[in-house]
Structures are given as structure tokens and as C-alpha cells.
Amino acid sequence: MAMMGGNLSRWTISYFAVAIAWLLAAEVLMVVGFGAPSADVASPDTLVLVHVVCIGWLSMALCGALFQFVPVLIAKPLFSERWTLPALLLLNAGLMALLAGFLALGGRIPWSVSLLPVGAIVLVAGFAAVSINLGLTLWRARPLPAPARFVAVGVACVCATAAIGTVFALARSGRIAEPLGADALASGVSIHAIAGLGGWLTLTAMGVSYRLLAMFMLAPDADARKIRATLLAGAGTMAIAIAGGVFAVVAEGGIDAVLALAAVAGLMTLGLYGRDVIALFRGRKRRSLELNIRMTVLSLVSLAAVVLLGGLLAATGSFVRHIGAFAFLVAFGWLSGLILAKLYKIVAFLTWLEVYGPVMGRTATPRVQDLVVERRASKWFFIYFLAVWAATAMLLVDATLAFRTAALAMTIATAGIVHELARARRLLDVAGALRLPAGAIAPRLMSSRT
Ligand code: HEM
């Protein structure tokens, strides 16, 4: 257990709580038909929904997890624990201003579209506080183990995402004359989306997953040389998409070739990652897998489905028409599925560490697994994944009402999972006397005592 890190990052649980609130908000928006598919993919309403999911839920949850796990990956403490709360506040304030800016842009509220650049700048400050903190933490631990290098590339990608997003925010609010044609701006959006969903969220999640999978399955760490090859492919993909893409946008040409090349490199990265993950599963010593791992498998299945769907859509020339379904499967099947699966373990573990860590060895304490009831929780996870897959299919056949029904099932399943997380936090499933032995202090719901 010591390898999961003895130090608790104080606000990690708070990041998770806020992230989950944004996830539920996004799901409710989909249920009531706000944004795509009820509205156009490029409409301001869709931009609200996209950023609630990408920044509010996915980025916030990932930041919280990284503050806890980057120190574990490199066996060195976080550069600054004190920066983590201000970063959380900046990210949320910036996101709210950005969302208000999008709503103003769509004429839904009578406020100024200047909120867009205001939001962008506050978000940049928030992401800078996260990136510099993680960057300096990694810098002090050179030479970095392979999984930590993924995080370094991911952090570089979130900086690129935020920078490009800021240019859009300035352009959309009329602060800078749109320097390029509409086509070029549309290409810019794909670079921003690839850097965010692919570079920042996917590469970072991949890096952390190497360590977490090995840890929870008692498998030997994946071959470092092989991980480095996967990393090289991933970093190469991002270099092609971001540097090549920005160059093509500025030069006003060649973006299709750049995106095609990035797609091939991306495919190679995922192929290599698949190879590494299969090796981890083969080498595991733990035969019966915990719920978090079984659910991680479903998120990996979703990632494989993303590759299949992308290939199918590209082959039939319908990728652009179905970009919404593709992005939905990336965001909810792969990324959200993985994060929810991992949260189920991490929340229980961090709670255990906080409450029983200080009294361990002095009195009888429960095991981490005693904080959860997997059989009860598993149904919510199954409903969640089935609903996500059904919702993707409904997007593909343009069945908007059926999509909203599937989104409702996702919302109910998420609420079920959140209820289980809250029970773990409150130690409600720990048997009588073991629950709070002498000297142990009950945890708070949404922050940790460190
Ligand atoms: C400082 C942070 C950010 C700002 C200011 C920002 C701003 C914007 C703006 C203004 C657009 C609309 C572009 C246009 O159509 O003209 C956009 C689109 C988009 N953003 Fe961001 N963004 C930020 C961060 C992110 C992150 C972290 C992600 C993903 C992880 C992301 C994902 C996307 C996606 C997928 C779209 C395309 C949505 C669509 O066309 O429906 N953004 N962003």
C-alpha cells in the first residue's frame, strides 16, 4: 500500500467532488436537449456542453488525480500543495465566465461576449497553476520513469489547448479581427480538440493507467522500452497535429494531409498501448479482478470501439457528419468510463489512508475493500456503460429522443455511482467496531485532513 503514496493531497477529494457536480450538470443538459444533438455541433449551446464536460468534469478530475499520483509515479513530493486550492478556484471561476460568454454569444443571456476572453484568461491562469506545479514536480525528478513522461507530454498539450482556446475566445468576441478564413478557423477547432481530448486527457490517462493497472492487478510493471515506444508515437502524434496543424492553418493549406497523418500516428499509438495493456493483464498475479479493474476493461473496450468507429466513418467518408458520435464515445465511453472506474478505487483508498493510516499498527483496522460493496455498485457501472454505448448508437442514427433517454439512464447510473462513493467516504459499509477505532477521526465528505 505504501506504493500508493503515504501523503494525501488535501484537495484531491474536493477536485473529484466538483468534477462530479459538473458531470451531473452535463448529463442533465443532455437529457433536457441542450446542445448537440438537439442543436448544431458548432452552436454556442454545444460549446457550453463541450466545456462543461471537457474542463468541468474531465480536466478537473484528472488534475485532482494527478496531484495525488504524480508524486507516486516519481516517488517525490508535489512541488506545491498550496497552489492546488487556488488552481481549483481559478479553473471553476474561469469555466463559469467562459460558459457565460458562450451563453451571451448565443443570445441566451443579455451579457457581454467579453466574458469569453475574461473566462479564457482566468482559465489560462488556472491551467498554468496546475501545469507549473506538475511541471516543476516532474522537473525535480529527472530522469523520469516512462509513465511520468506521458504526464509531461499531457501537461504540454493542455497548455497548447488553452492557448489555442484563448485565440478562439478573442476571435469569437471580436477582440481580434478574424485573421483567417472560416475554413482555417474550423481546422483550428480540430487541433484544439485533438490537443485537449487526445494529448492532455488521453495521453495523461494512459500514463497513469500503466502504474495503476500494475498496482491493482499485482502485475510487474510494463516493459519500460515498450512504454517509451508508445510514448514516442503519442508525442509524435501530438507534434504532427499541433505544430503541423498550426503551421497548416497559418499557411492556409494542407490541413487535411496533416490531420490524416496525425490519425495514422494516433492509430499506431493506440495499437502500441493496446499491446502494453494486454501484456499487463497477462502478467497479473491477482486472478479475481476487483470491480475497478473490470470496469477499466469496459473503458478500454470503448477505446477499441473508438478506433473501430473512427476507421469505419473514415472509410465511408462520413467522419465529419458523425464527429459528434465519435467525440461522445471518446469523452463518455473511454475517458469518463476510465475515470469513474478509477474513482471507485481511489476514493475508497484515500478515505482509508486518511482515517486508518494514522492508527494502523496500534489497533485493528478494516481493509480498503471493506469500505465498498462491489456487488451493489457493479449494477450502476453496467447501466452506465450500456447507456453510453446505446447513446452513441442513437447519435449515429440521428435518433435525438432516444439519445436523450439513454442520457437519462447515464445520469441515473452516475448518481448511483456517486451514492456509492459518498457511502465509502462516510464509512457506512464498514462493520460496527472497526468503523472508528480509538484515535481515528471520521472523514469530511469533500476534503481531506492531512
Ligand atoms: C483555456 C481553456 C479553453 C478555452 C478558452 C476554450 C475555448 C474554446 C472556444 C472559444 C471554442 C469555439 C471555437 C470556435 O468554434 O470558434 C472551443 C471549442 C472546443 N473546445 Fe475549447 N477551450 C478551452 C479548453 C478546452 C479543453 C481543455 C478541451 C478538451 C479537453 C476543449 C475542447 C474543445 C472542443 C472539443 C471544441 C469543439 C467544440 C465544437 O465545435 O462543438 N477546450 N473552445
Side-chain angles (χ1 to χ4, degrees):
M1 279 309 168
M3 55 188 176
M4 280 223 5
N7 291 330
L8 274 176
S9 184
R10 175 152 189 207
W11 302 106
T12 285
I13 288 286
S14 318
Y15 271 80
F16 292 163
V18 173
I20 286 170
W22 283 114
L23 169 62
L24 286 168
E27 288 173 338
V28 169
L29 287 178
M30 291 191 287
V31 173
V32 300
F34 185 92
S38 305
D40 188 70
V41 194
S43 66
D45 284 359
T46 304
L47 292 174
V48 168
L49 184 58
V50 163
H51 290 87
V52 168
V53 174
C54 287
I55 300 179
W57 157 234
L58 297 171
S59 296
M60 217 80 78
L62 190 60
C63 287
L66 290 177
F67 290 140
Q68 183 66 41
F69 285 106
V70 165
V72 179
L73 289 179
I74 57 176
K76 289 247 171 21
L78 192 65
F79 173 75
S80 168
E81 191 61 48
R82 267 193 299 172
W83 291 13
T84 56
L85 180 61
L88 178 63
L89 299 176
L90 285 169
L91 287 174
N92 280 284
L95 176 58
M96 282 188 235
L98 187 77
L99 298 180
F102 284 137
L103 291 173
L105 189 67
R108 287 212 179 250
I109 52 173
W111 294 354
S112 163
V113 287
S114 301
L115 281 164
L116 278 179
V118 170
I121 289 163
V122 181
L123 273 170
V124 165
F127 279 121
V130 172
S131 306
I132 295 172
N133 198 1
L134 292 173
L136 289 174
T137 307
L138 292 168
W139 183 258
R140 297 203 297 192
R142 283 164 305 138
L144 291 178
R149 292 183 193 197
F150 277 84
V151 180
V153 176
V155 167
C157 287
V158 77
C159 297
T161 310
I164 300 172
T166 305
V167 174
F168 292 154
L170 289 168
R172 283 272 192 147
S173 62
R175 294 280 143 162
I176 49 174
E178 302 224 348
L180 302 157
D183 283 355
L185 261 181
S187 320
V189 176
S190 49
I191 303 169
H192 174 71
I194 293 169
L197 288 169
W200 159 234
L201 297 169
T202 296
L203 285 184
T204 311
M206 277 161 65
V208 176
S209 74
Y210 281 118
R211 202 70 260 285
L212 289 186
L213 283 174
M215 215 143 59
F216 296 151
M217 293 197 295
L218 302 179
D221 275 319
D223 182 342
R225 252 176 326 155
K226 288 191 171 156
I227 305 185
R228 272 204 293 274
T230 311
L231 172 69
L232 203 67
T237 307
M238 287 306 129
I240 295 169
I242 301 173
V246 169
F247 180 77
V249 168
V250 173
E252 292 194 60
I255 185 77
D256 287 347
V258 168
L259 292 180
L261 203 63
V264 172
L267 204 63
M268 208 166 82
T269 311
L270 293 178
L272 291 172
Y273 177 62
R275 175 203 60 178
D276 299 342
V277 167
I278 288 170
L280 276 171
F281 273 87
R282 289 225 171 105
R284 72 180 197 269
K285 295 206 183 54
R286 187 172 271 168
R287 286 294 128 187
S288 70
L289 294 178
E290 288 177 359
L291 183 65
N292 81 85
I293 296 285
R294 281 183 277 133
M295 296 304 114
T296 301
V297 172
L298 294 188
S299 76
L300 290 166
V301 167
S302 302
L303 181 61
V306 164
V307 172
L308 222 71
L309 179 64
L312 228 69
L313 294 177
T316 53
S318 53
F319 189 81
V320 174
R321 195 164 89 74
H322 291 302
I323 185 96
F326 180 81
F328 180 87
L329 192 58
V330 172
F332 289 101
W334 158 234
L335 294 167
S336 304
L338 180 73
I339 294 177
L340 285 171
K342 288 296 161 225
L343 278 187
Y344 187 69
K345 179 73 183 185
I346 296 171
V347 167
F349 178 75
L350 294 183
T351 306
W352 180 89
L353 200 61
E354 179 184 341
V355 178
Y356 305 110
V359 296
M360 216 177 35
R362 283 191 269 137
T363 173
T365 52
R367 299 166 309 141
V368 178
Q369 281 305 91
D370 294 334
L371 271 64
V372 293
V373 181
E374 293 198 343
R375 220 155 30 106
R376 204 179 52 212
S378 63
K379 65 175 173 293
W380 299 124
F381 278 99
F382 282 117
I383 296 173
Y384 175 83
F385 278 104
L386 286 175
V388 168
W389 295 333
T392 309
M394 294 308 116
L395 286 175
L396 286 170
V397 297
D398 294 323
T400 303
L401 200 62
F403 168 81
R404 288 170 54 187
T405 313
L408 178 62
M410 280 169 67
T411 315
I412 294 169
T414 306
I417 294 170
V418 173
H419 182 239
E420 295 296 322
L421 296 178
R423 284 186 68 88
R425 218 43 220 144
R426 294 198 180 287
L427 309 172
L428 291 181
D429 291 312
V430 184
L434 278 182
R435 189 167 170 256
L436 275 183
I441 303 169
R444 298 194 197 101
L445 188 60
M446 294 201 223
S447 70
S448 308
R449 291 189 181 84
T450 52

